[in-house]
């Protein structure tokens, strides 16, 4: 899962992930409010990638997230 600061960055990272890693379709982008926050501005945007043995290398995912001012989060 990539965690990104805003929707635009998340959508761009999802499209780039599909292209860069040959995913076929862009991963799902979801909004997640931070725990205890009522303000709509206090949210993270997630790019959800399915884990698989043949999936993208974690280092490559980390680099992609960093390009969009985000990070890779393991579940």
């Amino acid at each position: 899962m990539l965690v990104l600061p805003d929707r635009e960055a998340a959508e761009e990272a999802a499209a780039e992930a599909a292209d860069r890693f040959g995913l076929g379709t862009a991963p799902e982008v979801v909004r997640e409010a931070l725990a205890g926050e009522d303000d709509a501005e206090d949210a993270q945007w997630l790019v959800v990638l399915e884990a698989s043995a043949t999936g993208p290398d974690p280092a490559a995912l980390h680099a992609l997230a960093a390009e969009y001012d985000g990070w890779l989060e393991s579940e």
Side-chain angles (χ1 to χ4, degrees), residues 31-68:
R31 180 182 177 269
E32 182 173 288
L34 299 175
E37 295 295 333
D38 295 329
D39 189 352
E41 295 295 317
D42 292 325
Q44 297 173 329
W45 288 86
L46 310 175
V47 176
V48 181
L49 297 149
E50 295 296 322
S52 73
T54 60
D57 175 58
L61 291 172
H62 176 72
L64 174 62
E67 290 175 26
Y68 294 93

Side-chain angles (χ1 to χ4, degrees), residues 3-23:
V3 182
L4 298 146
D6 58 55
R7 182 178 186 166
E8 184 177 345
E11 289 174 346
E12 289 176 14
E16 180 62 26
D19 290 342
R20 191 178 294 188
F21 305 121
L23 302 178

